[in-house]
Amino acid sequence: MFKIGVLVSGGGSNLQSIIDKSKSGELQCNVEVVIGDRECYGVERAKEAGIDRHVLDRKILKKELCKEIDKIITEKGVELVVLAGFLSIIDEEFVNKWKGKIINIHPSLLPKFGGPGMYGIKVHEAVLKAGEQESGCTVHYVDTGVDSGEIIAQKRVKVLVGDTPETLQKRILMEEHKLLPESIAKIITEKNKGVYS
């Protein structure tokens, strides 16, 4: 079974979508470990699902955070690292070691509304301020830039009249819960075909 590790910083609803789909057999993978960079509900979700979990306090570890993550996921035999609302910056050494094996989900149609400072509700505020007619979410490979890696898949969401950042965020999150597991399934299929090394 394909082994994944999930990194979280918040509520972990995207993590939950992966757990649910792997338990139902819709997604052919095991969540081997969940790592939070702070105490958060995402880590609690892992506990409730009986998944090995770790909290690595980014404020204490600072530059050692990625080394600790690397150690844990290597020991667990993780084949794909999934950033699901993970807010710490992944350093270059880690990215280079796991190149092509780290993915992230972002709440906009990249390359629009990505980059430094663009996360969470700030993305949706920026979309509305710019008067965009549509937004959505993107799953992409992680490279040494911010939100700049190769795009795996996207889902589009119409911006409605009267939308607030919160209402737009809620509708996009529903699509994220579909897109992330679909993207993982696509990677697993490619690996089984020998495309993914």
Side-chain angles (χ1 to χ4, degrees):
M1 193 71 92
F2 193 79
K3 296 178 177 181
I4 67 170
V6 184
L7 310 188
V8 294
S9 297
S13 64
N14 273 309
L15 164 65
Q16 192 65 54
S17 70
I18 297 167
I19 292 169
D20 292 346
K21 286 187 166 58
S22 63
K23 286 198 167 171
S24 72
E26 202 177 321
L27 197 51
Q28 298 293 306
C29 72
N30 273 338
V31 181
E32 289 295 310
V33 65
V34 171
I35 301 171
D37 64 352
R38 64 200 78 186
E39 290 286 353
C40 60
Y41 190 55
V43 176
E44 277 301 305
R45 287 181 192 268
K47 184 181 176 182
E48 285 163 18
I51 297 166
D52 187 28
R53 67 230 167 256
H54 299 262
V55 175
L56 302 175
D57 193 322
R58 68 197 175 105
K59 289 177 181 168
I60 296 168
L61 286 165
K62 295 176 182 163
K63 289 181 179 175
E64 297 300 308
L65 178 66
C66 289
K67 280 192 177 66
E68 288 301 313
I69 293 170
D70 178 47
K71 203 161 102 182
I72 293 165
I73 59 177
T74 301
E75 280 169 7
K76 287 283 180 185
V78 165
E79 296 167 85
L80 182 71
V81 182
V82 180
L83 309 187
F86 190 66
L87 298 179
S88 288
I89 298 296
I90 299 288
D91 67 33
E92 202 169 320
E93 193 183 333
F94 186 93
V95 171
N96 289 333
K97 180 176 176 182
W98 291 88
K99 191 172 167 55
K101 295 179 181 179
I102 320 174
I103 63 170
N104 180 48
I105 186 148
H106 184 79
S108 76
L109 295 172
L110 291 175
K112 285 185 167 185
F113 306 101
M118 278 287 135
Y119 61 87
I121 202 78
K122 293 180 183 183
V123 176
H124 309 297
E125 287 168 353
V127 166
L128 293 177
K129 194 176 175 187
E132 295 286 314
Q133 307 252 306
E134 67 171 7
S135 188
C137 47
T138 304
V139 174
H140 65 95
Y141 284 107
V142 174
D143 62 10
T144 52
V146 181
D147 303 324
S148 56
E150 181 195 339
I151 290 170
I152 298 164
Q154 293 184 313
K155 277 197 190 291
R156 295 176 183 276
V157 174
K158 282 198 186 312
V159 174
L160 305 178
V161 176
D163 255 337
T164 64
E166 290 76 16
T167 58
L168 182 59
Q169 181 180 46
K170 197 174 175 182
R171 286 205 317 286
I172 289 174
L173 193 58
M174 287 168 70
E175 296 306 318
E176 288 181 36
H177 295 162
K178 299 173 199 166
L179 186 66
L180 189 54
E182 283 169 14
S183 300
I184 293 167
K186 184 180 172 186
I187 289 167
I188 294 167
T189 301
E190 286 173 359
K191 180 185 183 281
N192 291 341
K193 285 180 182 168
V195 177
Y196 176 89
S197 57

